Amino acid sequence: MNHKVIPIAVQEVVNTKERKRQAPKGRRVDPVALEEVRALLGDESRQADLLIEHLHKIQDKFGHLASAHLAALAQEMRLAQTEVYEVASFYHHFDIVKEGEAAPQALTVRVCDGLSCEMGGARDLLAKLPKILGKEVRVIAAPCVGRCEQAPVVVVGQNPIIQATVDSVATAVGSNQITQPVAEVVDFLEYSKVGGYELLKKCISGERDVESVLKTMEDSGLRGLGGAGFPAGRKWRIVRGEKGPRLMAVNIDEGEPGTFKDRVYLEKDPHRFLEGMLIAAWAVDIQTIYIYLRDEYHGCRVMLEAELAKLKANPPIANMPEIFLRRGAGAYICGEESAMIESIEGKRGMPRLRPPYVAQVGLFGRPTLEHNFETLYWVRDILEKGGEWFTSHGRNGRKGLRSYSVSGRVKNPGVKLAPAGITIQELIDEHCGGMLDGQTFYGYLPGGASGGILPASMNDIPLDFDTLQPYGCFIGSAAVIVMSDKDTAVQAARNMMDFFKHESCGQCTPCRVGTAKAAELIKKPKWDVGLLEDLSLVMRDSSICGLGQAAPNPIDCVVKYFPHELA
């Protein structure tokens, strides 16, 4: 028999390759980092949709995400290291530290640079705080943190400092208070004492039947209050008609600059929302619910975890749906329903192409009832008082109630519950105490960053769904920012476009490149209006989701309604 002789040098190469194959591909896992990650995760599941939750544990513990910990987490969750890295690098609140890089300072101070905070003095704070706080503290600008009525706002660690000054921030840095708790909340016991969960019990017992509940919701005309405005009752009926099992996803990721109504209601009466959520789940026959809460609302998360624990320990009904609270990680795009679903699944928050729609193929591929927080907050009142009660409110030919988040140059900013269709002038005069002393009403944003900008002369337009579109604007989540003669629409548009540039997920070229190009063009003293109009058309027609489609609104409004600022 002939034997093939392999040279010694070749044998060494073969043996070396075989030895290399015995180790996993990619970064070798540091045993110390692996033990640290295992200790943090404890007995919790390693399922893939918990990736973002587990990344938060590492970030909270160490103040950053070291490469060694990312590699260890990938091994522990049986995920590719590239998958873990691409998710971690997508979200603003995760700080990745590569080998050889210095970790960020132990404490981060975020100065909100949203429009309301910019009007309140955020730029001055950004200029002064680094010198005052020293090199041991990292001071960075941050997009809207959802406290526009308390502007300017600075977040020290996880503790929001409202109406911040250099002195109040310095004091907070020295106090080492990590999270500001939520005060004066109607807790489970108090809510139960005033008839809480009785309506849910009537639904479960059969005293209220599904068809009558669906009919009442449809008769009320309640529309989705996250901004899209789809009729709530119709959505319940559509999802109920899909083949089970069905899931539910609740959006409390109100990242639109100027919006804070969900936070205000959540801080005061969380169980009114939770009961509405459980009634919706009953009506649509849903057994699993995911609540997605933005990461900026740390105090709300601590409170909601505690109240959910009380609810689960004292369930008002048998066979209560499973409820999971998921934590965002700083990404405005996750306010879009399909991007939020991607994030709940532990992925980058990138919007999906549609169809299929979320109601058909949503969370984990199942039919999904997706709702904004405030929409569910109104369910109990509507079912107890009737759809006619809700439609009995309204003004200027509109029907219903709206929660307007009002910020800017008014005496009394805040959430204003007012008739749908109220005008901006009526809102300022009747609910906000007028303009600040010595300031004149100049313009307003009726629907946050993406809702456009209108001049004070157009102060008689009803603020509601479908009333602002003829003017190139929309109401969205009813985030109203009021400007005075101290402000300019040009600067407001620059602030908004910088925000959109920062928050674009980058999935589609028209939005990724368009927001960056537009931000660059409008920083110039003289605008190239023709080029901006072409860019606006491309972004509207070609972007995958509403971010890119609506991003040109502030620019288009400046060109149309404030041409004197461009002269």
Side-chain angles (χ1 to χ4, degrees):
M1 182 180 292
N2 294 326
H3 294 279
K4 187 175 181 180
V5 178
I6 301 177
I8 294 177
V10 175
Q11 286 182 335
E12 290 178 352
V13 171
V14 172
N15 292 338
T16 300
K17 287 183 178 180
E18 288 177 350
R19 284 197 300 272
K20 285 183 177 179
R21 289 194 191 101
Q22 293 172 5
K25 293 182 178 181
R27 181 186 300 277
R28 298 296 298 273
V29 175
D30 178 71
V32 175
L34 183 60
E35 285 305 311
E36 289 173 337
V37 167
R38 285 174 174 168
L40 280 175
L41 271 53
D43 295 331
E44 292 194 35
S45 171
R46 271 60 167 171
Q47 63 200 56
D49 59 285
L50 291 175
L51 174 57
I52 294 172
E53 297 295 307
H54 294 339
L55 286 169
H56 274 303
K57 291 181 176 66
I58 299 172
Q59 175 78 35
D60 291 345
K61 174 68 175 179
F62 299 102
H64 62 276
L65 300 176
S67 295
H69 286 135
L70 292 178
L73 182 62
Q75 178 170 309
E76 191 67 8
M77 297 186 71
R78 298 183 180 277
L79 297 171
Q81 292 185 25
T82 52
E83 186 176 356
V84 172
Y85 182 85
E86 73 175 8
V87 171
S89 60
F90 181 87
Y91 296 93
H92 303 316
H93 291 183
F94 292 140
D95 296 308
I96 297 177
V97 177
K98 299 177 183 178
E99 283 187 9
E101 291 182 345
Q105 293 92 325
L107 180 63
T108 295
V109 170
R110 290 181 166 86
V111 180
C112 177
D113 65 357
L115 181 58
S116 299
C117 284
E118 181 180 276
M119 292 161 64
R123 287 189 176 186
D124 188 52
L125 291 171
L126 277 167
K128 293 179 179 178
L129 284 175
K131 301 174 184 176
I132 299 295
L133 301 179
K135 295 181 179 179
E136 298 303 313
V137 177
R138 179 175 61 160
V139 178
I140 60 175
C144 183
V145 297
R147 296 182 176 272
C148 316
E149 85 280 25
Q150 301 165 332
V153 180
V154 174
V155 183
V156 177
Q158 299 175 353
N159 182 20
I161 310 302
I162 63 175
Q163 298 171 336
T165 64
V166 169
D167 290 341
S168 65
V169 174
T171 300
V173 168
S175 71
N176 293 320
Q177 184 178 358
I178 301 301
T179 301
Q180 186 179 72
V182 174
E184 299 181 4
V185 64
V186 178
D187 66 8
F188 177 76
L189 183 59
E190 292 175 275
Y191 183 76
S192 300
K193 287 180 179 178
V194 292
Y197 294 107
E198 290 302 315
L199 178 60
L200 174 65
K201 292 176 183 177
K202 290 179 181 178
C203 291
I204 298 298
S205 68
E207 189 174 337
R208 298 290 294 263
D209 64 275
V210 171
E211 183 55 37
S212 69
V213 166
L214 292 175
K215 181 74 165 51
T216 301
M217 291 297 295
E218 290 170 335
D219 290 346
S220 73
L222 179 68
R223 296 172 66 172
L225 297 173
F230 192 86
R234 192 193 308 173
K235 182 183 284 190
W236 290 17
R237 199 179 288 280
I238 288 171
V239 179
R240 182 178 174 83
E242 295 291 327
K243 184 179 180 180
R246 309 167 196 87
L247 302 176
M248 187 173 182
V250 182
N251 192 339
I252 321 181
D253 192 63
E254 53 175 357
E256 182 75 20
T259 308
F260 48 88
K261 61 184 177 61
D262 292 352
R263 188 207 86 237
V264 169
Y265 286 141
L266 177 59
E267 288 177 337
K268 292 179 179 178
D269 202 354
H271 289 278
R272 184 170 297 272
F273 145 69
L274 291 173
E275 183 169 12
M277 179 186 77
L278 290 171
I279 290 171
W282 162 79
V284 184
D285 192 15
I286 288 168
Q287 294 302 315
T288 308
I289 303 169
Y290 291 82
I291 302 173
Y292 190 84
L293 178 65
R294 72 180 307 205
D295 195 32
E296 288 81 355
Y297 293 169
H298 294 277
C300 287
R301 187 176 66 256
V302 172
M303 176 274 292
L304 191 54
E305 287 173 341
E307 294 307 313
L308 283 172
K310 295 175 186 176
L311 180 64
K312 293 173 183 178
N314 303 276
I317 57 174
N319 302 315
M320 198 172 74
E322 277 195 290
I323 303 171
F324 298 99
L325 180 60
R326 291 294 171 86
R327 177 179 174 184
Y332 164 72
I333 192 63
C334 289
E336 195 274 340
E337 61 175 7
S338 65
M340 176 190 69
I341 283 173
E342 290 286 301
S343 191
I344 291 174
E345 292 180 355
K347 305 171 186 174
R348 293 177 295 169
M350 288 192 166
R352 297 175 179 176
L353 289 170
R354 288 169 285 188
Y357 295 94
V358 165
Q360 303 163 311
V361 182
L363 192 55
F364 305 116
R366 302 307 311 164
T368 301
L369 179 66
E370 189 276 341
H371 264 314
N372 166 260
F373 168 92
E374 195 201 350
T375 311
L376 297 169
Y377 185 84
W378 285 109
V379 168
R380 179 182 167 187
D381 277 328
I382 288 172
L383 293 180
E384 286 181 339
K385 300 174 183 178
E388 299 80 8
W389 164 80
F390 194 73
T391 59
S392 68
H393 298 85
R395 191 177 292 187
N396 299 314
R398 311 302 296 178
K399 293 182 178 181
L401 289 166
R402 290 303 301 266
S403 302
Y404 298 91
S405 302
V406 185
S407 62
R409 309 292 191 179
V410 294
K411 286 184 179 178
N412 302 313
V415 175
K416 310 299 179 180
L417 182 61
I422 194 171
T423 67
I424 182 63
Q425 195 65 60
E426 293 167 337
L427 194 60
I428 292 172
D429 295 342
E430 299 175 23
H431 294 269
C432 301
M435 298 292 293
L436 289 172
D437 291 338
Q439 300 191 30
T440 303
F441 180 34
Y442 176 71
Y444 64 107
L445 286 75
S450 53
I453 310 173
L454 293 171
S457 60
M458 299 174 68
N459 63 348
D460 58 350
I461 303 170
L463 298 178
D464 196 15
F465 294 116
D466 310 322
T467 60
L468 292 154
Q469 281 86 335
Y471 308 98
C473 299
F474 58 83
I475 190 69
S477 57
V480 180
I481 305 176
V482 181
M483 300 189 299
S484 76
D485 52 352
K486 292 183 176 292
D487 311 302
T488 68
V490 165
Q491 185 52 40
R494 287 170 177 161
N495 181 288
M496 299 294 103
M497 195 51 62
D498 281 340
F499 170 79
F500 289 129
K501 172 187 172 182
H502 184 263
E503 295 299 321
S504 173
C505 75
Q507 180 178 191
C508 65
T509 302
C511 179
R512 181 183 68 251
V513 177
T515 52
K517 184 64 176 178
E520 175 189 338
L521 288 172
I522 66 174
K523 282 184 170 61
K524 296 180 179 180
K526 185 174 179 59
W527 287 12
D528 186 335
V529 173
L531 181 57
L532 285 168
E533 288 176 347
D534 290 344
L535 188 58
S536 172
L537 183 63
V538 171
M539 292 175 68
R540 291 184 189 282
D541 290 347
S542 307
S543 296
I544 289 175
C545 80
L547 192 157
Q549 294 163 9
N553 282 346
I555 296 175
D556 292 350
C557 285
V558 170
V559 172
K560 187 174 182 179
Y561 300 117
F562 300 88
H564 57 281
E565 292 190 18
L566 302 176

